[in-house]
Amino acid sequence: MTDLSAFAITRKWPARHPDRLQLYSLPTPNGVKVSIALEELGLPYEPHLVSFETNDQTSPEFLSLNPNNKIPAILDPQGPGGQPLALFESGAILLYLADKTGQLIPPDAAARYETIQWVMWQMGGVGPMFGQLGFFHKFAGKDYEDKRPRDRYVAESKRLLGVLNQHLAGRQWVMGEQYTIADIAILPWVRNLIGFYGAGDLVEFGQFTEVQRVLDAFVARPAVARGLAIPARG
């Protein structure tokens, strides 16, 4: 049996199944990227809830795995060369899982880099911009009298949705017929923008019909439905 005792994170979140990939996460748009990918791939894994309510993400044990104190993070006992691998950043984890299994990413070099391009587009644009819009629309920022910050992020979110909408015209998924980590990276954030953040009307989401079509297909996938609820909140 694999021994993960050298990793301090296992003192706070003991591994009941140390031979399985360990997931430390929360069902946020970034967190569910990894749980959805794991469900799609059928890899054995053990999820651990990192509670923001109790500041688990700033605990010494979590920081030993991810010094940036953000979820998700993984510990794969069967990493490269058969050695354990600790990894954080959702985009990096998606790429690692795709490479590990040879799934959810095209084998062709050009298509592979195009897929990575769209993952980076989400990481650098969609996530930060939608997240800021959520802050100024739903959370503490909504009480600011000056609405210029909110409107800035509304405009940029609409621009990004327009880019995606145009790209998806005539395509089943971001990369065409093949479902990839690009879809898994992008679509949870779109779902969160119009759902949890309640910003659909603000960004006039009804005009982005191609995005809605692909989002509907995404959430209808059984693995996505499972992944959206993992790790289960206590």
Side-chain angles (χ1 to χ4, degrees):
M1 180 176 289
T2 305
D3 182 8
L4 297 179
S5 61
F7 293 88
I9 196 165
T10 62
R11 293 198 288 270
K12 186 174 180 66
W13 291 277
R16 293 172 297 163
H17 305 283
D19 292 330
R20 300 179 186 178
L21 186 148
Q22 305 293 305
L23 169 65
Y24 308 92
S25 192
L26 188 70
T28 67
N30 282 332
V32 299
K33 293 179 196 174
V34 178
S35 54
I36 288 170
L38 288 166
E39 289 292 324
E40 293 279 9
L41 294 166
L43 285 173
Y45 71 101
E46 182 177 349
H48 303 278
L49 181 70
V50 179
S51 175
F52 289 173
E53 294 178 1
T54 53
N55 293 315
D56 283 350
Q57 75 276 18
T58 61
S59 66
E61 293 87 356
F62 188 79
L63 292 173
S64 71
L65 191 68
N66 182 1
N68 196 40
N69 68 276
K70 303 292 184 182
I71 59 95
I74 64 168
L75 174 56
D76 186 359
Q78 303 298 326
Q83 298 300 309
L85 174 69
L87 202 61
F88 63 88
E89 282 295 332
S90 58
I93 296 171
L94 286 179
L95 185 56
Y96 169 70
L97 294 175
D99 284 346
K100 177 183 176 73
T101 61
Q103 300 179 58
L104 297 177
I105 195 165
D108 173 73
R112 170 187 168 83
Y113 283 111
E114 187 180 348
T115 305
I116 295 171
Q117 159 189 277
W118 283 102
V119 173
M120 296 302 121
W121 179 79
Q122 181 278 307
M123 299 289 291
V126 166
M129 295 302 104
F130 287 12
Q132 290 293 341
L133 176 53
F135 173 78
F136 284 103
H137 179 60
K138 183 180 177 70
F139 297 109
K142 71 180 184 302
D143 298 324
Y144 294 2
E145 291 185 11
D146 187 347
K147 296 306 178 186
R148 285 175 296 179
R150 185 204 66 176
D151 292 346
R152 169 184 171 83
Y153 293 115
V154 169
E156 181 61 6
S157 295
K158 289 175 69 173
R159 187 191 71 81
L160 290 166
L161 286 167
V163 170
L164 182 60
N165 199 69
Q166 182 177 19
H167 176 74
L168 289 174
R171 294 171 178 261
Q172 183 177 359
W173 300 106
V174 171
M175 287 301 297
E177 293 185 2
Q178 184 177 356
Y179 174 77
T180 69
I181 56 173
D183 304 290
I184 296 173
I186 295 167
L187 293 168
W189 272 102
V190 177
R191 175 180 176 271
N192 201 70
L193 179 70
I194 63 175
F196 182 67
Y197 289 161
D201 289 342
L202 199 60
V203 298
E204 300 177 302
F205 188 71
Q207 68 181 296
F208 304 110
T209 54
E210 299 293 339
V211 178
Q212 181 67 71
R213 170 182 60 82
V214 178
L215 177 62
D216 289 345
F218 178 71
V219 298
R221 296 177 69 91
V224 171
R226 295 192 300 269
L228 287 171
I230 297 173
R233 297 176 186 267

